[in-house]
Amino acid sequence: MIRFENVTKRYRGTKRPALAGVDFEVERGEFVFLVGASGSGKSTCLRLILREDVPTTGRVAVLGRDLRTLANRKVPYFRRHIGSVFQDFRLLSSKTVFQNVAFTLQVTGASRGFIHQAVPEALALVGLDGKEKRMPHELSGGEQQRVAIARALVNRPQVLLADEPTGNLDPGTSVDIMQLLARINAGGTTVVMATHEAGFVDQMQRRVIELRDGEMVRDDVHGGYGDRSSIPQLVPEAARGAAAVAALTAVQEVHRQTESLEPLTAEMLASMKAARASQPDSQATSQQEAPATEQRPTAVGPRTHPIVLPEVDVAELGVADRLGLSDTRNDEEVGPTS
Ligand code: ADP
């Protein structure tokens, strides 16, 4: 699904390559952590997967496509098969939650009917049903990241790339987001996540690829974080310990529920909501949470109140390229998808 063959990336004007001789293959449905100190090459890997950049030497193949030979005009269509989530959420501040998620579909020419079905489904998946009309500034950090995840998923991508998705969140909210990513992966989406969150990596025991100065120094099928000396210590040790315990409980629960790797069903969505409802503190740091009396509806399906989609100004979206939205002409399939 994603293959790096002896990939070296040297940025212009730099002495040391950002990546040197990196070789790995990610299979469909895997959850892979990319770890390593700042500057070790994690973001460069993600950029190469998204074809934001090309290797200096070596080959990157994604979804059956050799990205070296992928024509520039096909890149936006290729990117529609890959969802991206970032540390800083990158939502459109002037648009509602619904509009932020709808935007991806709207620009790619999806029908109004499809948008009104797919957006509520994506928001339900991330536990945000009922918040369609909120503006981003009315949401907590964790909720904003959920909107970003819904936006990344609404196209039903085969791969989700997450670059430090919990980097701006408090430990409790980070656990929520990790649970969500684990569930998305359990539904069949391949997830590649660059992170410094050693606690999550240790508890999840998923595949770990470690980079050091651009070289791949480890590829463990069920790995831990490894050397923690380079982890930025922005949170006191005690809080990190608490987060790790919470992460263990949460992630073990996800493992129990998803061992069979079934696709997400309405029942699973309902149980996600129930699990979230039983963690009242998980959004405790929310600055502008909904009133306690506001209950999220449990039904998954199109909403009945009218939601107005705005005219879209593509230039307004700084991440248009990354979302595969920079060219709206003639959609094309990327394939074969392996
Ligand atoms: P990480 O995501 O692990 O922090 P990066 O992939 O961002 O690492 O960076 C790897 C190396 O490449 C670093 O030395 C960084 O300074 C360098 N680098 C990244 N992007 C650029 C760029 N656009 N131009 C020059 N050097 C870059």
Side-chain angles (χ1 to χ4, degrees):
M1 178 154 258
I2 299 171
R3 196 160 66 239
F4 275 50
E5 290 174 11
N6 201 17
V7 168
T8 292
K9 175 65 190 174
R10 199 179 290 275
Y11 290 105
R12 208 169 291 156
T14 59
K15 284 192 194 139
R16 203 170 45 78
L19 292 177
V22 172
D23 254 312
F24 64 81
E25 179 156 11
V26 176
E27 303 286 350
R28 179 192 294 272
E30 276 194 278
F31 193 120
V32 181
F33 286 116
L34 274 182
V35 305
S38 198
S40 59
K42 303 182 296 296
S43 300
T44 299
C45 274
L46 298 181
R47 278 202 295 275
L48 294 180
I49 294 171
L50 262 176
R51 190 27 170 85
E52 288 189 335
D53 216 330
V54 290
T56 310
T57 59
R59 198 170 89 104
V60 176
V62 179
L63 299 174
R65 280 293 172 106
D66 181 344
L67 298 192
R68 226 176 5 187
T69 60
L70 185 67
N72 283 340
R73 67 186 171 80
K74 292 191 176 177
V75 169
Y77 311 115
F78 160 75
R79 289 190 186 142
R80 289 176 197 170
H81 298 262
I82 302 180
S84 298
V85 183
F86 314 93
Q87 180 169 352
D88 55 359
F89 321 140
R90 304 194 191 177
L91 300 179
L92 296 164
S93 58
S94 61
K95 298 196 191 308
T96 65
V97 166
F98 185 97
Q99 290 165 346
N100 263 281
V101 178
F103 188 85
T104 307
L105 295 172
Q106 206 182 0
V107 177
T108 58
S111 73
R112 202 178 162 77
F114 181 75
I115 290 173
H116 280 262
Q117 183 185 334
V119 173
E121 279 177 11
L123 288 172
L125 176 67
V126 302
L128 281 183
D129 36 2
K131 302 211 171 173
E132 288 87 344
K133 290 183 174 173
R134 299 284 186 94
M135 301 302 287
H137 72 269
E138 296 174 319
L139 302 175
S140 67
E143 287 172 327
Q144 290 185 48
Q145 191 59 295
R146 285 172 185 278
V147 177
I149 293 171
R151 178 180 65 185
L153 292 179
V154 76
N155 263 334
R156 312 227 167 136
Q158 296 172 66
V159 179
L160 181 64
L161 303 180
D163 198 351
E164 300 278 4
T166 59
N168 277 344
L169 303 175
D170 64 273
T173 308
S174 298
V175 171
D176 279 358
I177 295 295
M178 282 312 301
Q179 266 188 301
L180 179 56
L181 294 177
R183 279 209 177 270
I184 289 163
N185 173 246
T189 308
T190 307
V191 178
V192 179
M193 170 173 163
T195 189
H196 280 114
E197 289 287 358
F200 292 134
V201 179
D202 286 346
Q203 304 303 341
M204 299 261 298
Q205 289 292 304
R206 298 295 182 95
R207 183 170 171 194
V208 177
I209 293 177
E210 181 176 349
L211 296 168
R212 193 176 303 153
D213 295 333
E215 289 183 20
M216 202 173 104
V217 294
R218 185 159 63 102
D219 184 359
D220 285 346
V221 180
H222 299 290
Y225 188 88
D227 179 12
R228 293 162 187 252
S229 57
S230 66
I231 300 174
Q233 293 294 322
L234 298 175
V235 180
E237 276 300 333
R240 281 195 174 274
V245 171
L248 173 64
T249 313
V251 170
Q252 281 177 340
E253 178 60 21
V254 171
H255 279 178
R256 264 197 299 278
Q257 292 173 16
T258 59
E259 262 176 341
S260 58
L261 294 186
E262 310 163 69
L264 280 167
T265 61
E267 287 81 348
M268 291 173 75
L269 287 170
S271 85
M272 280 169 69
K273 284 179 202 152
R276 285 178 46 72
S278 68
Q279 296 173 351
D281 293 331
S282 63
Q283 300 286 338
T285 54
S286 166
Q287 290 161 2
Q288 299 190 43
E289 268 293 319
T293 52
E294 180 179 321
Q295 291 295 316
R296 291 189 179 111
T298 51
V300 177
R303 314 215 59 77
T304 51
H305 53 268
I307 297 166
V308 180
L309 291 175
E311 286 304 309
V312 170
D313 175 3
V314 178
E316 187 186 342
L317 184 63
V319 292
D321 275 349
R322 265 210 167 187
L323 293 169
L325 304 178
S326 58
D327 187 341
T328 59
R329 289 165 300 159
N330 306 325
D331 198 359
E332 294 180 30
E333 278 301 306
V334 172
T337 57
S338 63

